[in-house]
Amino acid sequence: MRLHQKLCLGASALALTACAILGKEQTATPKQTCTPQTVELMKKLGVEAGQKGSMLLEAELPGGPQDYGVYRQGQVTSRLETAVGTLPAGTLVDGVLWMDTGKVQAHYTQARTPDGQTLPVCLVLGSSAPGGVYAEAGTTPSSINLPRSVPFTVVDTFQ
């Protein structure tokens, strides 16, 4: 095989690898909605858009709130550290975590209170809508580095 052909093959392989890696930097935004019924129920519970709090990003990950963790894109169960409305600290919230061009996003649609109630909610990761927090150094599409304790915000629509 000629040197020119080898160089072209090598360059093509490198370009394809770069495209595959860069293509994973952003995951498709999950199609989730915050229905009017959910917003109405949240209001009855004293959980209203704009309220903020903190949560442990992965409820079962060992360590304390000051520690860092490594997370994966996909389903996530977080634990509220602070109460919001009548949802007490310790409530588990289920959602989807994904990367969006260097920012980590999560939409939470279900809460499970310590007394066993399951309720629909609309929460986002981050201290303001539309949500998200910036990933820490060393984050890759398959290994997201973040503090265990992160802010969340109640929303009435997912953007």
Side-chain angles (χ1 to χ4, degrees):
M1 189 181 272
R2 292 186 187 163
L3 179 61
H4 181 284
Q5 288 175 320
K6 286 180 182 178
L7 288 174
C8 286
L9 285 174
S12 295
L14 183 60
L16 287 173
T17 301
C19 288
I21 291 171
L22 292 175
K24 292 180 182 176
E25 292 279 337
Q26 183 170 349
T27 303
T29 304
K31 299 296 180 203
Q32 295 174 313
T33 60
C34 190
T35 67
Q37 295 84 356
T38 298
V39 173
E40 188 60 35
L41 177 61
M42 288 191 323
K43 284 182 183 177
K44 289 178 183 175
L45 297 171
V47 179
E48 299 197 38
Q51 291 176 316
K52 300 173 187 321
S54 66
M55 66 172 77
L56 294 177
L57 187 55
E58 178 56 57
E60 301 303 319
L61 190 67
Q66 303 304 317
D67 294 332
Y68 281 72
V70 177
Y71 307 94
R72 306 276 182 258
Q73 297 185 80
Q75 296 296 313
V76 65
T77 297
S78 302
R79 183 181 313 276
L80 299 185
E81 294 180 292
T82 55
V84 59
T86 59
L87 295 178
T91 295
L92 297 175
V93 289
D94 298 317
V96 178
L97 181 78
W98 76 97
M99 289 288 296
D100 184 10
T101 317
K103 209 169 183 187
V104 182
Q105 302 281 345
H107 290 171
Y108 295 90
T109 56
Q110 179 176 282
R112 293 178 282 139
T113 63
D115 67 1
Q117 295 181 65
T118 300
L119 306 161
V121 293
C122 297
L123 308 175
V124 295
L125 176 66
S127 57
S128 62
V133 295
Y134 287 100
E136 297 289 326
T139 290
T140 67
S142 63
S143 177
I144 301 167
N145 299 321
L146 288 173
R148 283 207 63 223
S149 181
V150 292
F152 71 86
T153 302
V154 178
V155 295
D156 55 11
T157 185
F158 292 122
Q159 299 175 8

